[in-house]
Amino acid sequence: MHTARAGLHHGGRASGALPTAHSRRRYWVVLGVLIFLAVGFGFGLLAWDNPMPMGSTGFWRIAEMRGTSVVVMMVVAICQAMATVSFQTATNNRIITPSIMGFESLYIAVQTGAVFFLGAAGVTAIQGNAQFVLQILLMVALSMALYGWLLSGKYGNLQVMLLIGIIIGGGLGSISAFMQRLLTPSEFDVLTARLFGSISNAEISYLPIAIPLCLGAGLLLLFNARRLNIIALGSDTTTNLGLNHRFEVMRVLFLVSILMATSTALVGPMTFLGFLVATLAYQLADSYDHRYVFPIAVLIGFVVLAGAYFIMKNVFYAQGVVSIIIEVVGGSVFLFFILRKGRL
């Protein structure tokens, strides 16, 4: 199976995920460059403009405080990258992302509803580990109920599921917009700060919950990379090769739901980050094998986040607009490929 897929991909010249010496050399060079950039930006965030002497106790204390943001970026990079690549494989479509299922809309509705019903204190009311876990459970339960309902039955299919996901997301967005119009200016300002995806939104106390969820779901997807390679061939081929296509897709979507819910509940909506990362990963990895695509995607996600924060914080002194820039760039890439009619 892998041989056939690789043969088609490379004009029949060779077989395997990285069939030629050139492709293998290119992959490891790209991986090395991304690791270098990730380490460089990560260290830069910890050490750049640190007022204490390098290596002193004060230096490491400040670096430790900044290190929380670096850990959050890595968690978000793993969640967004692996969730988007896996979701696009399960749906056999490289244009759509998990955001289309309404995770961001649900997050915005929860945040808006809290402020609408509880006032400005509502933002405080929905913080804390219990509320964080509740948000994740709510998002995962809603998405799995949607998947289970729409992928089962006589007429169950992914296209209907995606369409209803868009409708639910749009409906939640309309309800949120209506409630936001009824807020006072001060309440709206408090709410707006929570609705932009931002690393500063993350609470340190959330990490002991978010990190195991992120690593657990990510490792399960990585261990099932060979099955994802088969799922990418379509329902008929997957069934002919002895796998239950619906069960495999449901399992992938469950893990995707955990990753997306964790990322969204941790830092807020980042709609186009996953699409940007996945699209670049496919181009740079140049392989169908998810064992090679996943590491590239995760590293790109971290480099994009850490690089954007480092540059905006230390060059333009505009740290708060990082998520907006990422959304603009990601949205532009999205429109570019849409205008190319999705030919990836």
Side-chain angles (χ1 to χ4, degrees), residues 120-236:
V123 171
T124 305
I126 57 174
Q127 291 179 348
N129 289 353
Q131 289 82 351
F132 177 68
V133 172
L134 184 62
Q135 282 190 74
I136 293 176
L137 289 176
L138 187 62
M139 292 180 191
V140 173
L142 179 66
S143 59
M144 290 314 297
L146 188 65
Y147 299 151
W149 171 46
L150 294 175
L151 288 179
S152 62
K154 186 176 179 182
Y155 302 106
N157 63 72
L158 283 168
Q159 286 70 33
V160 174
M161 180 191 76
L162 296 172
L163 180 60
I164 292 182
I166 294 172
I167 294 171
I168 291 175
L172 289 172
S174 298
I175 294 171
S176 300
F178 172 73
M179 289 191 290
Q180 288 170 18
R181 289 181 179 275
L182 300 178
L183 298 176
T184 64
S186 60
E187 290 173 339
F188 184 77
D189 285 344
V190 171
L191 174 64
T192 302
R194 298 292 302 176
L195 296 187
F196 280 110
S198 175
I199 300 301
S200 61
N201 282 346
E203 297 285 339
I204 298 177
S205 60
Y206 295 170
L207 291 179
I209 300 170
I211 291 175
L213 287 173
C214 165
L215 292 179
L219 286 173
L220 285 173
L221 286 172
L222 184 60
F223 291 151
N224 284 280
R226 293 181 184 276
R227 290 175 179 266
L228 284 167
N229 296 340
I230 297 175
I231 293 172
L233 298 175
S235 174
D236 294 340

Side-chain angles (χ1 to χ4, degrees), residues 15-27:
S15 62
L18 298 171
T20 65
H22 173 72
S23 64
R24 287 191 292 272
R25 186 165 57 250
R26 178 182 178 276
Y27 177 84

Side-chain angles (χ1 to χ4, degrees), residues 77-95:
I78 293 173
C79 289
Q80 293 280 344
M82 300 195 73
T84 304
V85 171
S86 301
F87 186 80
Q88 291 179 347
T89 296
T91 57
N92 201 19
N93 189 316
R94 288 191 178 181
I95 293 295

